[in-house]
Amino acid sequence: MAFIDWVLHPTELWAAFWFFMRHAPPDEKTVRLQVSGDMKRCYDFLEMTSRSFAAVIQELNPKLRDGICLFYLVLRGLDTIEDDMTIPGARKRHLLETFHETLYQKGWTFKESGPDEKDAMLLVEFDVVINEFLRLPTEFQDVIADITRRMGAGMAKYTRARVESLDDYNEYCHYAAGLVGHGLSRLFAVSGLEKKSVGEELELANSMGLFLQKTNITRDINEDVLDGRCFWPKAIWSKYADTEEHLIDRENRDKGMEALNEMCTNVLQHIPDVLEYLSQIQEPSVFRFCAIPQVMAIATIVLCYDNSRVLDGNVKIRKGEALKLISQATTLDSVKRTFYRYVDQLERKNHLDNPMHGQVAKIIDRTKLDIARTLKGGAPVDFTKEYLVLGLFFVTITTFFYSYLSERSSI
């Protein structure tokens, strides 16, 4: 099956080849970065907790690289505590609300994680993160501690509160991801690599985070419901099901699909802000760092739209597709072409009998118009059909020769 995927998507095979040629194994990366001691251990944790983020963080400008690595690890530690269902509620809320204070406590570690927490070791050795955090410039420390404080307070709130209204949903996503956008934008500015306005006008940065978080929440509905939680706002799901469990019930599939498509539509409304934010970013490594998660998100949400497999389990874009997206997220023009391509796919999936058809069609039309108006050379041309025909031809020829050679060898 994997072979057929590569054959049917030859541009993804080419992208994979160049990706693996350009990216060294984890041990070689840390040598190349010329880090040692506690900072080397921090980059080891970065690789362990997220390979995808590790790759883009390690390619950042040196003025930002260590600071954003530590920012990520601090928030990963906070998130690990929030996700741990074995920690009693009152204890968890205290940890979340005071986590920012631990950043200034040398030697602080946490060894109370549940047995299934995959990132527990980060907290067991969190003292190495603190040591390196305290070596950062004060401006970096202030941003990281402030965002950690605000995020911890928001997470503590939602250990007791439920996501009921759309306002609740936007607030929860702000705490979980919008604040990350705030923090990153402020770090970009204090590093001197981006204009001060990037770190001051934060509404667009918030939308960047919401686009990613809402995509994940929409995609993960099956897994979350089976784990006994649901982050879809009740204002949406209650129109289509009596309980969260009923959302993924096959007997309620038609209504579940309507709920899914409304959730996808809520995500898609952030596209204009995403493209506007990216248009502000000037430094090439910062641009790639910001753009890669966004192109992954547009590919994922288009895959989720009107896709019943989302209600049955976790869906993911193809590995080759992800590598192609990474390779193309280099300039604003290339990112706009990527968004245009996926919005074009969305248009083909947006059937007239879908209750969300009208709202989605408006988003599609606006996005295409905005991109075509600002893109060099106008609207992109889609060669998907040509690649598919070429791929099928290659499969046919390969199968024919394989059969021929098998017959000859049996004579």
Side-chain angles (χ1 to χ4, degrees):
M1 188 63 185
F3 172 74
I4 297 298
D5 277 344
W6 290 119
V7 170
L8 294 179
H9 304 92
T11 57
E12 294 176 12
L13 180 61
W14 184 249
F17 171 77
W18 280 110
F19 179 86
F20 290 115
M21 287 290 288
R22 289 180 63 245
H23 291 80
D27 288 344
E28 290 182 25
K29 287 179 184 176
T30 53
V31 170
R32 189 180 63 192
L33 292 174
Q34 296 183 329
V35 293
S36 60
D38 285 345
M39 199 63 223
K40 181 182 185 304
R41 186 59 176 155
C42 288
Y43 278 107
D44 290 341
F45 276 125
L46 185 64
E47 288 283 350
M48 286 188 274
T49 54
S50 177
R51 283 284 183 89
S52 55
F53 271 109
V56 289
I57 288 175
Q58 290 171 10
E59 292 183 359
L60 277 167
N61 188 295
K63 291 183 179 180
L64 271 171
R65 189 168 53 220
D66 289 353
I68 288 184
C69 171
L70 294 167
F71 185 37
Y72 176 84
L73 292 178
V74 168
L75 297 188
R76 174 63 78 171
L78 183 69
D79 192 55
T80 300
I81 290 173
E82 190 225 8
D83 282 346
D84 193 337
M85 304 305 288
T86 69
I87 302 175
R91 172 69 171 150
K92 179 184 287 190
R93 283 189 289 276
H94 174 74
L95 287 167
L96 294 172
E97 290 169 345
T98 61
F99 196 77
H100 65 286
E101 297 173 4
T102 68
L103 300 179
Y104 298 96
Q105 297 174 18
K106 281 197 166 191
W108 185 90
T109 60
F110 183 78
K111 300 176 182 178
E112 303 169 34
S113 299
D116 297 326
E117 289 303 316
K118 61 184 179 65
D119 295 327
M121 189 53 65
L122 169 64
L123 291 171
V124 170
E125 297 184 39
F126 202 73
D127 53 330
V128 302
V129 177
I130 293 172
N131 290 342
E132 291 301 326
F133 169 81
L134 294 173
R135 292 190 180 101
L136 288 174
T138 303
E139 297 88 348
F140 278 63
Q141 291 183 31
D142 290 346
V143 171
I144 294 171
D146 178 55
I147 296 299
T148 305
R149 176 186 61 80
R150 293 163 63 190
M151 185 178 290
M155 287 178 169
K157 173 181 178 178
Y158 278 95
T159 60
R160 287 180 286 193
R162 291 176 63 82
V163 180
E164 300 276 347
S165 67
L166 289 177
D167 285 342
D168 292 339
Y169 185 45
N170 286 327
E171 182 184 62
Y172 173 79
C173 292
H174 166 72
Y175 286 133
L179 283 173
V180 180
H182 282 204
L184 290 171
S185 297
R186 288 166 62 185
L187 290 174
F188 299 158
V190 299
S191 73
L193 295 174
E194 298 294 342
K195 294 180 292 187
K196 286 185 178 180
S197 59
V198 171
E200 294 170 347
E201 300 165 8
L202 297 172
E203 286 187 18
L204 296 178
N206 187 64
S207 235
M208 291 274 284
L210 264 59
F211 187 61
L212 302 181
Q213 184 70 12
K214 288 182 175 183
T215 295
N216 291 337
I217 287 174
T218 301
R219 180 197 62 195
D220 294 343
I221 181 60
N222 180 274
E223 179 184 342
D224 285 339
V225 168
L226 293 179
D227 283 344
R229 58 188 182 181
C230 179
F231 299 105
W232 285 21
K234 188 175 182 180
I236 289 180
W237 68 255
S238 63
K239 293 188 284 185
Y240 307 101
D242 297 328
T243 64
E244 291 103 324
E245 293 78 11
H246 198 208
L247 272 173
I248 62 174
D249 192 332
R250 292 198 175 209
E251 294 181 1
N252 188 44
R253 186 47 46 98
D254 288 345
K255 289 296 182 181
M257 289 295 293
E258 290 182 21
L260 170 64
N261 289 336
E262 184 168 348
M263 287 295 296
C264 290
T265 305
N266 186 278
V267 179
L268 294 166
Q269 68 181 334
H270 294 288
I271 290 176
D273 283 353
V274 168
L275 294 177
E276 187 175 348
Y277 180 90
L278 291 175
S279 71
Q280 300 179 117
I281 302 301
Q282 302 299 313
E283 205 277 335
S285 71
V286 174
F287 182 87
R288 280 178 55 78
F289 175 79
C290 295
I292 288 172
Q294 303 298 326
V295 293
M296 297 287 193
I298 186 63
T300 300
I301 201 63
V302 170
L303 176 63
C304 290
Y305 187 75
D306 209 34
N307 184 349
S308 62
R309 291 189 296 124
V310 175
L311 302 177
D312 293 327
N314 197 283
V315 301
K316 292 183 178 180
I317 59 176
R318 296 181 305 276
K319 180 95 179 227
E321 185 177 6
L323 296 176
K324 180 179 177 181
L325 288 168
I326 291 171
S327 71
Q328 292 180 337
T330 53
T331 66
L332 183 60
D333 264 13
S334 63
V335 168
K336 285 183 176 180
R337 290 178 190 279
T338 296
F339 267 76
Y340 194 100
R341 184 171 75 249
Y342 281 102
V343 167
D344 203 43
Q345 290 181 24
L346 178 65
E347 188 169 32
R348 293 196 289 271
K349 298 177 71 175
N350 190 33
H351 305 301
L352 285 170
D353 59 352
N354 187 330
M356 288 291 110
H357 175 270
Q359 291 185 48
V360 173
K362 287 181 181 177
I363 294 170
I364 291 169
D365 290 345
R366 176 184 172 180
T367 304
K368 282 190 162 185
L369 182 62
D370 287 348
I371 292 175
R373 190 169 50 210
T374 58
L375 194 63
K376 296 172 185 175
V381 178
D382 185 5
F383 291 106
T384 302
K385 292 180 181 178
E386 288 80 357
Y387 285 133
L388 183 59
V389 170
L390 181 63
L392 289 171
F393 174 75
F394 184 73
V395 169
T396 303
I397 293 296
T398 303
T399 304
F400 172 78
F401 276 107
Y402 179 79
S403 300
Y404 174 75
L405 291 173
S406 297
E407 289 176 8
R408 292 282 296 175
S409 63
S410 63
I411 295 175

